[in-house]
Amino acid sequence: MKNGVPGVSDYQGPAGGWGAVKAVTASVFSQKAIARDIIAMFKMNQVKGFDCPGCAWPDPGHRAPMELCENGVKAVSWETTSKKASPEFFSRHPVSTLWHYSDYELENIGRLTHPMKYDAASDTWQAVDWDIAFHDIGERLRSYDLAEQVEFYTSGRTSNEAAFLYQLFAREYGSNNFPDCSNMCHGPTSTGLTQAIGLGKGTVELDDFDHCDLVICIGHNPGTNHPRMLTTLREVAKRGAKIISINPLNERGLERFSFPQSPREMFGGQATELSSDYYQVKIGGDASLLKGIMKALIEMDEARILLDRQPCLDHVFIHQHTEGYSALYDDLRQCSWAELEQDSGLTRSQMEDLAHSYNKSRATIICYGLGITQHKNGTGNVQQLVNLLLLKGNMGKPGAGICPLRGHSNVQGDRSVGINEAASEEFLQRLEAHFAISVPRKHGRSSVESIRAIERGEAKALICMGGNLAVAMPQPQRTFAAMKNLDLQVHVATKLNRSHLLLAKHNYLLPALGRTERDIQATGIQSVTVEDSMSMVHTSCGALKPASRWLKSEPAIVAGIARATLPLSPINWEALIGDYALIRDAIAAVIPAFRDYNARIAEPGGFRMDTPASRREWRTPNGKANFIVSHQQAVERENQPADALVLATLRSHDQYNTTIYGMNDRYRGITGRRDVVFLSAEEAAARGLSQGDVVNVQALDDNGQPCAERVMHGLTVVIYNMAAGSVGAYLPEANVLLSLDAVDTQSLTPAYKSVPVALKKA
């Protein structure tokens, strides 16, 4: 308790350390499957084991006996739990009762054990045979006038094999509607990087961190969202390279880290200092900060040239490899320092210091997360990062490049194998030729477009391959209401969540094997493959006995629905499911980047997807890397009241996306609650607020007017070390403040991180 406020304290420890050990122990014991968890921990992220169902940080070449992190163990224990959401449980708990459970309580019920169909008369989920479920779903899908009335959602935990079959089925059916979790996070990465460097992925690999002089971490929180990265950052810091962090909130995982597998650090009470410099940018001020760094760098460069000294910029690289420098130069020269300071929240001196640090580095990596992408100018933000790297040739050389930090363990792989609402003509032609089918050419819908289509009544059915789509999307006031108007909903899942309670006319809940569990098909135990955030593709093979004998693998579920829906399909679904190697052969035939797929994944650690920009090959229309000017600001401040704040939605430490593992947020000092709003001491004082005060948070529209329907009531103020003008609250609860219409203009990724709000004492 701090200042008399229950559940609020100052956390003084490092990231990791004994706090992580205690949290892991508590998670394992709470799920009552200790033996399964111990087996899983020794198999997770090992060469012949399974890939962690959490983040997409890559595996090192030399792996520890236990290659894991705190939140990875939470994800696994949550899956290996002995708790069961059985037909008996559902018979005792009507959906109207379950609706009042918290998100934490819903998933903590346990693993789904049987295929279920909703019965409106009793208001309960009831067990149904797989064959009946498949038949009924297929019949419903054949009843629609247009195939594009069906939305096919994919979670990033879906394997390459399942995702490829899923898009194959959807396209043979006639739909290119692929709302995907990547639409909600790194859409600006795919869009922005493709335009700038001809590759919609990062350019670095894990070895580059051994050769860099500087790592810039901007808009991400590794301690909570990708904890295995802390080990890499620790190694960077220990060899004397510099780490600079840029983030609105001070996050412990960017400050210092005690490695739980280091006896010296654990028993000696030691920790590694990570960031040598920490800059608190305003939420939404990233583009202005990056322009300020580039403006300072160019001014330094011109001054050095006048003095006949070594230039700051790599002019040879710029001349040989890029286009657009003149336009960027003109834009930066016209930028006012006063405006850059106001928008970023940093002083000119601070931006010049950043430029000096960047200039001293011979090789720089920029790592970024959703704090960069989830804005109305998310694509522009990404491109400003590329601009900064290109100025000094920090692309396509050892120890340098761009490193987007993906969330789910295969969100990148799903896109690589065809989960794309706007697939290339070459891909579609190869798909048709290999499978002797016809597929549509009209571009489909991404996540926001799908929800809008459901809201308008244009979409009749939604099939979800995992995930918690309704809760993850902005403005549940609209999303929830829209979902209830559907004719058909099908959810493939391991555990119950709130999206499963938003009932359509016909509803099915199909239980899938988890990443940790053995997948046995006609030819024996099967492995699947995933792609990490640095484009490494490797196998994942579950080791545990399935939680129920009624579970099916995701590929088998897709094939079951496909056979029932398309009885005349020329595709031999049975053979593909019997041997997943045949699925990989098909992927290789359709997608040249996966050539010799089965042979290459047989190598320890798998293989790296081709990344042309890593070797300075720019697959853009002009064959160059492009400097791209951004004129758009993340938050339109001119129409907002002078005292308006900008809110970003945040994860707690006991959380992975919409999955809530517990009610604590250790590194921010929060215990047993989530009903808080983070605010700087400066902003609190300006509003006459103190720690512990209870406030209402109300969203403001583009004209600065309060939105009556977008409000959160009764949040407790927590004073936190963060940028002025900024405020934070937990997702998914704070999604009520978002607007389904506030999106990045190019990628349509929602602006989860830049919501104008006002605070009022309750």
Side-chain angles (χ1 to χ4, degrees):
M1 182 179 295
K2 182 180 179 184
N3 298 338
V5 183
V8 179
S9 63
D10 283 327
Y11 183 75
Q12 299 298 327
W18 289 109
V21 174
K22 292 176 183 176
V24 163
T25 304
S27 178
V28 169
F29 276 94
S30 73
Q31 296 307 309
K32 302 178 181 179
I34 298 173
R36 284 168 63 85
D37 279 336
I38 291 173
I39 295 171
M41 285 185 213
F42 283 97
K43 291 289 186 178
M44 182 163 56
N45 298 320
Q46 299 299 327
V47 171
K48 294 185 178 180
F50 65 88
D51 194 64
C52 175
C55 80
W57 189 253
D59 300 318
H62 301 286
R63 308 185 197 200
M66 296 180 74
E67 192 63 49
L68 45 78
C69 69
E70 175 187 345
N71 281 4
V73 173
K74 290 176 185 174
V76 167
S77 66
W78 212 241
E79 182 174 291
T80 60
T81 180
S82 64
K83 300 176 182 179
K84 301 290 191 292
S86 64
E88 293 73 24
F89 170 85
F90 284 113
S91 69
R92 300 191 305 268
H93 295 83
V95 168
S96 56
T97 299
L98 292 172
W99 182 259
H100 296 288
Y101 281 39
S102 69
D103 293 309
Y104 165 76
E105 290 168 332
L106 285 173
E107 295 212 24
N108 197 40
I109 293 167
R111 289 289 299 276
L112 297 168
T113 62
H114 289 67
M116 310 293 286
K117 179 180 180 179
Y118 176 70
D119 176 64
S122 62
D123 187 32
T124 58
W125 285 102
Q126 297 186 356
V128 62
D129 289 341
W130 276 107
D131 288 344
I132 294 175
F134 288 151
H135 173 271
D136 290 352
I137 293 167
E139 193 170 56
R140 294 309 307 168
L141 291 176
R142 288 196 304 275
S143 72
Y144 301 124
D145 296 330
L146 300 170
E148 61 191 50
Q149 292 177 311
V150 183
E151 312 292 325
F152 293 86
Y153 174 76
T154 319
S155 161
R157 283 181 60 173
T158 308
S159 67
N160 281 350
E161 290 75 9
F164 182 77
L165 291 190
Y166 193 50
Q167 65 80 34
L168 175 63
F169 160 54
R171 289 193 160 105
E172 185 185 9
Y173 175 71
S175 176
N176 278 323
N177 295 333
F178 291 109
D180 178 58
C181 64
S182 66
N183 303 148
M184 292 176 267
C185 55
H186 273 284
T189 291
S190 300
T191 302
L193 292 185
T194 299
Q195 294 172 1
I197 60 173
L199 174 72
K201 307 177 181 182
T203 64
V204 303
E205 51 190 320
L206 200 55
D207 287 347
D208 283 314
F209 286 86
D210 296 331
H211 304 288
C212 64
D213 290 339
L214 171 65
V215 176
I216 297 176
C217 295
I218 181 168
H220 71 98
N221 175 17
T224 291
N225 299 334
H226 25 269
R228 291 174 69 209
M229 183 187 187
L230 293 175
T231 304
T232 301
L233 292 178
R234 173 178 176 267
E235 293 168 353
V236 169
K238 279 189 170 297
R239 67 175 178 81
K242 187 167 187 167
I243 300 171
I244 293 176
S245 292
I246 302 169
N247 205 58
L249 288 78
N250 267 42
E251 302 287 14
R252 190 53 45 88
L254 290 168
E255 295 175 323
R256 60 185 188 275
F257 172 55
S258 181
F259 185 36
Q261 297 187 51
S262 167
R264 182 176 180 180
E265 291 192 3
M266 293 295 287
F267 293 103
Q270 299 178 11
T272 300
E273 300 295 324
L274 300 179
S275 299
S276 58
D277 299 295
Y278 206 119
Y279 296 90
Q280 291 182 331
V281 64
K282 280 183 182 178
I283 293 172
D286 306 284
S288 294
L289 167 60
L290 293 166
K291 284 189 173 186
I293 299 171
M294 290 187 285
K295 182 178 177 70
L297 191 67
I298 286 175
E299 291 176 354
M300 288 164 50
D301 181 74
E302 292 180 328
R304 291 175 72 91
I305 291 174
L306 286 174
L307 296 172
D308 200 26
R309 296 173 61 187
Q310 181 71 27
C312 298
L313 307 189
D314 188 337
H315 290 280
V316 174
F317 173 86
I318 292 171
H319 175 72
Q320 293 180 348
H321 289 278
T322 74
E323 281 194 6
Y325 174 71
S326 295
L328 178 71
Y329 176 88
D330 291 341
D331 178 68
L332 295 174
R333 296 293 290 180
Q334 293 170 12
C335 288
S336 156
W337 277 113
E339 291 181 356
L340 294 176
E341 288 180 320
Q342 179 180 357
D343 288 344
S344 69
L346 298 177
T347 65
R348 174 177 178 175
S349 176
Q350 288 176 305
M351 289 184 267
E352 289 174 337
D353 287 345
L354 272 163
H356 280 288
S357 295
Y358 178 53
N359 184 53
K360 290 177 184 177
S361 169
R362 294 166 299 175
T364 298
I365 296 172
I366 295 181
C367 302
Y368 70 93
L370 306 190
I372 285 292
T373 61
Q374 289 183 329
H375 297 273
K376 290 172 74 173
N377 69 332
T379 297
N381 282 343
V382 170
Q383 291 169 341
Q384 300 318 296
L385 295 175
V386 174
N387 288 345
L388 182 59
L389 289 169
L390 294 180
L391 286 176
K392 286 184 63 64
N394 279 309
M395 193 77 75
K397 69 179 184 181
I402 192 84
C403 181
L405 297 160
R406 305 282 183 168
H408 271 314
S409 64
N410 199 41
V411 64
Q412 189 161 299
D414 289 352
R415 303 289 281 185
S416 295
V417 299
I419 300 295
N420 188 336
E421 68 279 2
S424 69
E425 176 62 23
E426 179 187 23
F427 171 82
L428 297 177
Q429 287 181 2
R430 287 177 176 269
L431 198 69
E432 287 183 323
H434 185 76
F435 289 102
I437 59 175
S438 296
V439 302
R441 294 307 197 270
K442 180 182 176 182
H443 286 182
R445 292 187 279 259
S446 61
S447 294
V448 168
E449 294 171 309
S450 290
I451 298 299
R452 291 173 180 170
I454 294 171
E455 189 177 44
R456 293 191 301 265
E458 295 172 7
K460 302 296 184 185
L462 171 67
I463 302 177
C464 289
M465 187 61 58
N468 191 0
L469 176 61
V471 170
M473 289 300 293
Q475 208 171 355
Q477 309 91 304
R478 292 171 59 183
T479 304
F480 286 10
M483 295 290 199
K484 294 176 182 179
N485 290 326
L486 285 164
D487 178 68
L488 171 69
Q489 282 198 79
V490 178
H491 290 279
V492 179
T494 57
K495 304 182 85 174
L496 189 68
N497 64 49
R498 193 164 304 280
S499 290
H500 307 155
L501 308 179
L502 295 163
L503 300 169
K505 186 175 180 181
H506 304 277
N507 304 274
Y508 297 86
L509 190 51
L510 308 180
L513 290 170
R515 187 74 62 81
T516 61
E517 294 167 323
R518 290 193 297 270
D519 181 355
I520 301 177
Q521 302 296 339
T523 57
I525 295 179
Q526 305 296 313
S527 293
V528 295
T529 53
V530 297
E531 180 183 346
D532 65 33
S533 62
M534 294 182 190
S535 301
M536 288 296 299
V537 178
H538 58 275
T539 59
S540 175
C541 187
L544 302 180
K545 180 182 177 180
S548 163
R549 67 188 182 93
W550 297 101
L551 305 184
K552 286 184 179 290
S553 71
E554 288 184 337
I557 294 172
V558 172
I561 298 174
R563 286 195 299 262
T565 307
L566 305 170
L568 301 180
S569 172
I571 298 169
N572 189 340
W573 296 99
E574 200 70 36
L576 292 171
I577 297 310
D579 184 357
Y580 292 177
L582 298 179
I583 305 175
R584 291 187 284 273
D585 285 340
I587 294 173
V590 174
I591 309 171
F594 285 93
R595 68 187 184 284
D596 301 323
Y597 199 168
N598 283 301
R600 288 198 287 168
I601 61 163
E603 297 297 322
F607 66 94
R608 192 172 189 226
M609 295 284 287
D610 188 32
T611 55
S614 297
R615 57 180 180 270
R616 296 187 172 180
E617 181 180 320
W618 320 107
R619 294 189 178 174
T620 56
N622 60 13
K624 299 281 190 177
N626 293 297
F627 289 100
I628 299 175
V629 176
S630 175
H631 300 290
Q632 182 186 21
Q633 297 303 310
V635 180
E636 293 78 6
R637 301 181 190 276
E638 62 271 14
N639 294 327
Q640 299 298 333
D643 63 344
L645 296 165
V646 181
L647 176 136
T649 60
L650 310 170
R651 287 186 193 170
S652 76
H653 191 61
D654 272 359
Q655 176 177 357
Y656 189 77
N657 291 343
T658 60
T659 300
I660 313 298
Y661 300 127
M663 304 301 287
N664 301 332
D665 191 4
R666 184 170 74 252
Y667 297 149
R668 298 190 185 113
I670 305 299
T671 304
R673 61 188 306 179
R674 294 175 58 83
D675 57 339
V676 299
V677 60
F678 297 100
L679 192 66
S680 71
E682 174 186 346
E683 294 295 350
R687 289 159 177 75
L689 297 172
S690 301
Q691 179 137 300
D693 284 346
V694 178
V695 297
N696 298 331
V697 183
Q698 189 157 37
L700 305 176
D701 65 20
D702 291 341
N703 296 313
Q705 297 302 308
C707 298
E709 74 283 3
R710 291 164 53 202
V711 61
M712 292 185 77
H713 298 280
L715 297 186
T716 297
V717 171
V718 173
I719 305 301
Y720 199 79
N721 186 359
M722 61 190 295
S726 304
V727 62
Y730 295 131
L731 65 87
E733 295 91 336
N735 285 3
V736 299
L737 298 171
L738 307 179
S739 170
L740 195 60
D741 300 318
V743 298
D744 174 50
T745 52
Q746 296 192 60
S747 69
L748 298 185
T749 293
Y752 292 91
K753 306 295 187 199
S754 48
V755 186
V757 298
L759 301 187
K760 186 176 181 181
K761 220 172 203 180

